[in-house]
Amino acid sequence: SQQGEEDPQALSIQEGENATMNCSYKTSINNLQWYRQNSGRGLVHLILIRSNEREKHSGRLRVTLDTSKKSSSLLITASRAADTASYFCATDRSNTGKLIFGQGTTLQVKP
Amino acid sequence: NAGVTQTPKFRVLKTGQSMTLLCAQDMNHEYMYWYRQDPGMGLRLIHYSVGEGTTAKGEVPDGYNVSRLKKQNFLLGLESAAPSQTSVYFCASSYTGELFFGEGSRLTVL
């Protein structure tokens, strides 16, 4: 069963705009991670946020975590055409890397 | 620096045939995983390993077997392939919880 649900399933924006993706999960977690997948490729790790953290930044990425609401959001600022990809949240309950993935958000950034 | 390498990248099988997918990592990671990805779904964990000589079941282990005889290799076997096993298979390795993925193996079972 999927732990995470992502919203929206698909998002289309213009280059330069911000993109926000949301993830909700069901059980307590040790950490939550975000991955990017370009079409036909493997997943690439973007950022990891631990359960005792509320916000984390990495370049143009900002991730928030609200454990009381069991939700997380990924914000990509000043998007580029190269950001076009699918984005997945994944939860780790035991810090063993046994991740449970959401269904993903497909982001299209139009030049 | 190859990272995680999966072979083969593509394979077509007939129902009932067997095959093995090979995953190799050169990062000296203890943890290795096999996931499958189906259209419209996220990845689901098949089996995983926390070290050489150890394996454990994940979320969807039925119809698959695995072996980790060497630390750098993690093999996924299908003893009798079924059409429901048509999928893209991803191997990953980890040291600190962040996963490093291979490029995937696309398997079609006719």
Side-chain angles (χ1 to χ4, degrees), chain B residues 4 23 58 89 107:
Chain B
V4 178
C23 177
Y89 292 85
L107 175 65

Side-chain angles (χ1 to χ4, degrees), chain A residues 22-41:
Chain A
N22 302 297
C23 170
S24 61
Y25 56 92
K26 299 175 183 175
T27 63
S28 62
I29 62 172
N30 180 280
N31 66 74
L32 184 145
Q33 303 179 34
W34 286 90
Y35 288 80
R36 183 187 75 233
Q37 183 181 34
N38 291 91
S39 181
R41 304 297 298 275

Side-chain angles (χ1 to χ4, degrees), chain A residues 3-88:
Chain A
Q3 161 81 306
E5 293 186 2
E6 298 186 57
D7 172 61
Q9 290 189 339
L11 181 60
S12 181
I13 60 174
Q14 294 294 135
E15 207 166 25
E17 294 180 340
N18 295 341
T20 299
M21 290 159 263
N22 302 297
C23 170
S24 61
Y25 56 92
K26 299 175 183 175
T27 63
S28 62
I29 62 172
N30 180 280
N31 66 74
L32 184 145
Q33 303 179 34
W34 286 90
Y35 288 80
R36 183 187 75 233
Q37 183 181 34
N38 291 91
S39 181
R41 304 297 298 275
L43 281 75
V44 174
H45 181 266
L46 295 176
I47 199 163
L48 181 154
I49 186 165
R50 303 197 181 279
S51 59
N52 60 353
E53 297 175 310
R54 292 296 169 258
E55 187 171 313
K56 207 163 182 180
H57 297 256
S58 177
R60 293 183 297 113
L61 306 180
R62 172 178 169 254
V63 168
T64 61
L65 178 64
D66 187 334
T67 53
S68 67
K69 295 182 179 178
K70 291 187 170 58
S71 67
S72 174
S73 67
L74 170 67
L75 168 67
I76 304 174
T77 60
S79 63
R80 306 165 181 169
D83 294 328
T84 294
S86 292
Y87 292 81
F88 294 90

Side-chain angles (χ1 to χ4, degrees), chain A residues 1 33 35 37 41 96 99, chain B residues 33 35 37 42 59 97 99 103:
Chain A
S1 63
Q33 303 179 34
Y35 288 80
Q37 183 181 34
R41 304 297 298 275
T96 58
L99 301 184
Chain B
Y33 315 84
Y35 285 87
Q37 184 177 33
E59 184 185 359
L99 268 59
E103 290 296 304

